[in-house]
Amino acid sequence: MKTDLVEIFQTIRASVQPYATRGYTVHENSETGYDLYSEKNIQYDDIKVTERFFVGLYINGSEVELKLNSKDFAFKNQALISFGDDKLGLKISELDEAKLKEIETLVEILHTHFKENEWI
């Protein structure tokens, strides 16, 4: 069980970083923040969208926050926290293999949603 925030952040970031080679662009890559966006130009509800938040990971106080894009997508059967601005996710202060697998599954589900909608 990991409890050090930097270690938790780095472990989760290592599982999210491969998505940067799957069509996403890194917007923040620091010691306390890492996020990915899709930069595919699309027309959405008569609005041209040039970038779309995918996933973000941030050290905030005594927790690591994992934020997932929830616009037009509902995560079912998950106890996720609302961060506002169409972002849901988790606040993590301890990380074990089961929690890491849950995080990896959530990100993969979201990635599949992005692919199905041709947002990447």
Side-chain angles (χ1 to χ4, degrees), residues 12-66:
I12 298 170
R13 179 173 61 184
S15 72
V16 173
Q17 280 179 321
Y19 287 92
T21 64
R22 297 169 99 179
Y24 300 97
T25 301
V26 177
H27 274 216
E28 180 178 354
N29 187 10
S30 70
E31 295 298 316
T32 59
Y34 182 81
D35 55 30
L36 295 169
Y37 283 74
S38 165
E39 292 188 343
K40 183 175 181 181
N41 294 325
I42 58 171
Q43 191 74 21
Y44 182 78
D45 289 340
D46 297 328
I47 300 170
K48 185 178 179 182
V49 177
T50 58
E51 68 179 19
R52 181 181 297 269
F53 175 79
F54 173 59
V55 64
L57 182 65
Y58 314 94
I59 295 176
N60 189 5
S62 62
E63 298 170 310
V64 174
E65 295 177 346
L66 172 73

Side-chain angles (χ1 to χ4, degrees), residues 61-72:
S62 62
E63 298 170 310
V64 174
E65 295 177 346
L66 172 73
K67 297 180 181 180
L68 306 161
N69 181 318
S70 63
K71 184 167 180 62
D72 302 320

Side-chain angles (χ1 to χ4, degrees), residues 6 24 34 42 48 59 64 81 98 100 103 113 116-117:
V6 173
Y24 300 97
Y34 182 81
I42 58 171
K48 185 178 179 182
I59 295 176
V64 174
I81 299 163
L100 181 59
I103 290 165
H113 179 69
E116 288 172 352
N117 284 287

